[in-house]
Amino acid sequence: MKPNGTSLNTRSNGHHLNYDLLNELTVEEIGDDHVASSLETPLREDAFDLTDDAKIEQIEDHFRQIMNILGLDLTDDSLKGTPRRVAKMYVKEIFSGLNPDNKPKAALFENKYQYNEMLVEKNITVQSHCEHHFVPIIGRAHVAYISSGKVIGLSKLNRIVQYFAKRPQVQERLTVQIANELKEVLQTEDVAIIIDARHLCVSMRGVQDVNSSTVTAHYGGKFKEDEATRQEFLRHVSEPTAAL
């Protein structure tokens, strides 16, 4: 949103962009501030018109140009394959969560054990990228839910976290996207999530603080309404992980 509350939607070269704000605030003025556009990841309407192979070809070409501009010798054996490797990594790996075709299929099962207490999946690896500088966000997510009569395979909790992490993100949005997806999939509001992550845009550049981390949380249903339920979740999260 602009400072006056109006939409940032505009068109440039036929595409929707969120850069209308730059008419009032320059990139330098915005600096490292989190300029959040929406709960949904900002995507153009034509985001999936190109095939993955076509995207890889174009990214490879553009990244080769970036390397050339930086003065790197792309005839060197170590560098000549880098544009292709980066392009494949972007499309197939670290930004694969942009493509809804990669969304995990989360089947529910009857809660035949009649387990009605909270289930906590902790220390889920979070590997994302800051959408402001395209450098990594690395941390852990802790997820809990209370069954509404259905349960989900444990690995699907990890996959849901990883799906939303594998895209350019801000941690606040990532937290809410995961929480909303879990509520929809699990058919319950009784969901909690905490993410504790280090941002390389903080540790590698700018303030260059290697010791800080960012914690975000979302509590729904009983986790929000009942202090004892929330404290139980926090206690589970703080306890040492079981040794293998």
Side-chain angles (χ1 to χ4, degrees), residues 88-206:
K88 290 177 66 177
M89 176 183 68
Y90 275 12
V91 175
K92 296 294 189 180
E93 298 178 80
I94 64 176
F95 298 137
S96 60
L98 290 171
N99 190 338
D101 289 343
N102 295 326
K103 189 174 184 178
K105 306 297 187 295
L108 294 181
F109 306 93
E110 292 295 329
N111 186 4
K112 294 182 179 180
Y113 300 110
Q114 296 300 303
Y115 181 77
N116 298 316
E117 303 299 322
M118 75 175 66
L119 183 145
V120 181
E121 184 81 356
K122 54 193 284 188
N123 294 324
I124 299 172
T125 300
V126 171
Q127 295 177 334
S128 190
H129 278 71
C130 163
E131 69 180 34
H132 301 125
H133 298 96
F134 269 48
V135 293
I137 300 170
I138 301 172
R140 301 286 181 182
H142 313 292
V143 172
Y145 76 95
I146 300 172
S147 173
S148 62
K150 302 284 187 178
V151 294
I152 190 174
L154 292 179
S155 66
K156 291 299 189 293
L157 297 174
N158 301 62
R159 294 185 187 282
I160 288 170
V161 170
Q162 292 167 358
Y163 169 71
F164 286 101
K166 289 184 179 300
R167 57 180 70 178
Q169 278 286 16
V170 292
Q171 188 172 324
E172 299 93 329
R173 180 198 292 137
L174 173 61
T175 304
V176 178
Q177 284 181 337
I178 294 169
N180 287 347
E181 180 68 14
L182 290 172
K183 289 176 184 179
E184 181 176 346
V185 168
L186 294 166
Q187 301 172 14
T188 179
E189 289 292 312
D190 300 334
V191 165
I193 176 171
I194 292 176
I195 298 178
D196 184 356
R198 295 184 181 273
H199 293 237
L200 269 66
C201 61
V202 173
S203 63
M204 291 180 62
R205 54 159 309 282

Side-chain angles (χ1 to χ4, degrees), residues 18-90:
N18 285 327
Y19 299 144
D20 194 22
L21 180 61
L22 297 184
N23 290 332
E24 300 182 14
L25 295 173
T26 68
V27 172
E28 289 75 18
E29 288 173 324
I30 294 170
D32 292 334
D33 291 341
H34 283 209
V35 180
S37 57
S38 67
L39 173 59
E40 300 301 324
T41 301
L43 286 170
R44 297 200 317 267
E45 294 177 1
D46 64 346
F48 307 107
D49 287 357
L50 293 176
T51 66
D52 282 358
D53 287 342
K55 289 181 179 181
I56 289 171
E57 292 293 332
Q58 291 193 26
I59 294 171
E60 178 183 3
D61 180 58
H62 289 300
F63 201 79
R64 182 179 293 109
Q65 293 182 51
I66 290 172
M67 294 179 69
N68 274 321
I69 292 168
L70 290 172
L72 295 169
D73 181 5
L74 283 164
T75 65
D76 183 89
D77 288 342
S78 180
L79 295 178
K80 62 185 178 182
T82 297
R84 183 73 175 182
R85 286 190 291 265
V86 169
K88 290 177 66 177
M89 176 183 68
Y90 275 12

